[in-house]
Amino acid sequence: SSRSQAAGRIFIVARELTMVPIDGRATKADEIHRHIKSSISVAPPQSRRLPWVVLWGIVVLTAIGVALANYCILWASYFINHARHKALQLAIDAAGPVAGMAESVLVFACLGGAAACLVAFVAPVCAGGGLPELKSFLNGGSTEGAFSPRAFVVRIVSVVLATTAGFPIGREGPTITMAGNIGYGVVHLLAVPHMRRWINMDASAEGFLPAMIVD
């Protein structure tokens, strides 16, 4: 079958690559090594010291982004709470305290349900404060989707909805996670172009194509 033929070819190539020169004669491995050496030029490794402009840009833009995100959260929370209190007063004036209490319960349920639906159906990674995901990322763990733009937006909106719904939570943990989101995006925007190492391969050589490695 084709699978067995491919396995046989791989075995033959591996055997040829591991051959040891006999009586000073060049083997297939030596020929391949000389061919690769002549057709590849590797740029010297670049230093990981980023320019001071990039470092200060990361610090300043991250701080500005966190400040703007917190301002948006506070403004949205104030607007929702102001509208909720106004509606509560209108309900009490129109039908008494019992109607005001029922209106408050209904509003709280709608706000909390909207926050839960956002997290459950749009960005499940936003469940919780986000600090375990940050610690996992810093220790080399897998945090797929934790730093995506969708998770960032859902975290902001859900924090506003959950706090205005009266849940016994704060915005300190999510704020730290949002700062991590902003810093992650700023670093990718400013620092990644300075962390590239190019490998130029001769495209005319048989079996080789130009390639780039991002370190």
Side-chain angles (χ1 to χ4, degrees), residues 88-149:
L88 174 62
Q89 187 63 47
L90 290 175
I92 293 176
D93 294 340
V98 177
M101 184 174 61
E103 184 271 341
S104 293
V105 171
L106 179 62
V107 171
F108 290 154
C110 291
L111 293 173
C117 290
L118 275 177
V119 173
F121 300 109
V122 180
V125 72
C126 293
L131 292 179
E133 288 80 3
L134 283 179
K135 292 180 180 180
S136 175
F137 176 78
L138 293 175
N139 286 281
S142 176
T143 56
E144 184 178 358
F147 298 102
S148 63

Side-chain angles (χ1 to χ4, degrees), residues 9-30:
R9 286 196 295 268
I10 294 174
F11 174 76
I12 293 173
V13 172
R15 185 180 60 183
E16 291 177 349
L17 288 176
T18 55
M19 290 177 61
V20 180
I22 300 175
D23 298 332
R25 292 179 297 177
T27 62
K28 185 68 174 179
D30 297 326

Side-chain angles (χ1 to χ4, degrees), residues 159-181:
V159 164
V160 172
L161 295 175
T163 53
T164 54
F167 291 165
I169 60 174
R171 54 186 179 84
E172 292 79 9
T175 298
I176 297 174
T177 306
M178 286 184 288
N181 271 58

Side-chain angles (χ1 to χ4, degrees), residues 65-79 152 156 160:
V66 174
L68 290 176
N70 275 278
Y71 176 79
C72 293
I73 291 174
L74 291 175
W75 181 84
S77 299
Y78 169 79
F79 178 79
F152 177 70
I156 289 180
V160 172

